Amino acid sequence: MEKERKPKNIFVQGPISSEKIAQSIANHASKTDIGGHSIFLGQIRADEKPEGKVVAIDYTAYEEMALEKAFEIREAIFAKYPLTCMHIYHSLGEIKVGEICLFVFTSSKHRKAAMQACDELVERIKAELPIWGKEILDTEGHVWKVNT
Amino acid sequence: MSNLIHIKAFGMVAEKIGKESLSLENPGTTEALKNLLFQNYPELRSLKFTLAVNKKLTPGDIELEEGMEIALLPPFSGG
């Protein structure tokens, strides 16, 4: 019987630690049909804006809608690529420059499916999830992040 | 009889109107709601935002019913 999939929480309060990422990789050691992992890590960049330099991004989300949408995207990517595993984590709250705010992790028998699925997931997360980044500046003001 | 709808605002929209949620007498449709919001918060006219009704994006004009949750969503900028 196929396992029923349910919406999972993707949100993490604060930055995503390197320990969490390492632990997540280690958790796959027992899944011996995996031959390749693909990992994307989003990091807060010290962007120079006309109004000042970015020191942190404060993320907020319409969480209920984001989780429903993330589930829909997850199902679509599982249907499209032969994946063994897929994990998505996105930060909420204030994340400082140099810290990790997005962790996307796909695994499959062969590398291509994992890499293509990871790439497509990151694009869809950025375009379709109701999440907003407020860029905090060193001038004490802020600007709203715009995704390109 | 009360016929309220619930509004949630996010990001730049929440900042402009100065609150994250409010309840309003149901104006009937999403277009009527937008007009009402523009009247109450003229600064919204210059912002780009879309509406989600009960957590679904809604293209076009939609009939609103009592108790619905309407979210005002500026362009997404996650990741």
Side-chain angles (χ1 to χ4, degrees):
Chain A
M1 201 180 88
E2 200 170 325
K3 199 172 93 183
E4 194 197 345
R5 295 198 177 100
K6 290 194 179 127
K8 281 203 224 176
N9 189 19
I10 64 165
F11 291 111
V12 174
Q13 202 63 43
I16 297 161
S17 69
S18 45
E19 289 76 18
K20 181 180 176 71
I21 297 162
Q23 188 57 52
S24 189
I25 297 168
N27 289 346
H28 292 76
S30 59
K31 300 192 175 176
T32 52
D33 54 338
I34 292 173
H37 298 296
S38 189
I39 289 177
F40 176 82
L41 299 174
Q43 174 168 311
I44 308 297
R45 182 178 60 240
D47 234 357
E48 297 276 0
K49 305 276 171 183
E51 301 88 347
K53 191 163 139 189
V54 173
V55 295
I57 296 182
D58 187 8
Y59 287 103
T60 52
Y62 184 12
E63 290 184 49
E64 303 93 324
M65 181 179 167
L67 294 181
E68 280 184 13
K69 192 72 196 176
F71 179 64
E72 191 185 310
I73 294 171
R74 185 182 161 80
E75 292 295 285
I77 298 283
F78 261 124
K80 187 167 172 187
Y81 298 98
L83 297 179
T84 315
C85 279
M86 182 193 307
H87 302 278
I88 302 169
Y89 299 101
H90 196 297
S91 291
L92 290 179
E94 193 172 309
I95 317 301
K96 295 183 174 64
V97 294
E99 293 182 328
I100 302 298
C101 58
L102 174 63
F103 172 28
V104 179
F105 187 2
T106 53
S107 312
S108 59
K109 273 189 172 170
H110 304 285
R111 70 184 181 286
K112 289 248 164 82
M115 291 163 80
Q116 287 166 3
C118 187
D119 185 55
E120 193 167 323
L121 263 175
V122 172
E123 294 304 317
R124 292 196 62 178
I125 288 165
K126 292 180 79 101
E128 297 176 44
L129 296 191
I131 301 174
W132 298 273
K134 184 164 84 173
E135 296 176 316
I136 313 294
L137 306 174
D138 61 356
T139 51
E140 300 200 346
H142 68 263
V143 290
W144 289 93
K145 182 172 182 280
V146 177
N147 278 0
T148 49
Chain B
M1 198 183 88
S2 82
N3 177 7
L4 290 179
I5 54 168
H6 308 289
I7 313 291
K8 284 191 164 193
F10 294 93
M12 199 188 287
V13 172
E15 186 176 86
K16 283 275 184 198
I17 70 176
K19 51 186 101 174
E20 291 177 347
S21 65
L22 62 146
S23 292
L24 290 177
E25 192 67 24
N26 181 7
T29 65
T30 49
E31 277 306 311
L33 171 63
K34 273 197 215 174
N35 288 331
L36 183 64
L37 289 169
F38 288 149
Q39 263 176 36
N40 294 346
Y41 306 99
E43 58 276 33
L44 279 185
R45 288 174 195 273
S46 60
L47 288 188
K48 198 176 150 193
F49 66 92
T50 53
L51 297 188
V53 176
N54 288 347
K55 305 183 197 75
K56 301 278 180 227
L57 292 178
T58 54
D61 200 8
I62 304 271
E63 291 256 353
L64 296 176
E65 289 165 27
E66 184 185 352
M68 278 182 162
E69 178 174 288
I70 295 96
L72 315 179
L73 312 175
F76 305 155
S77 56

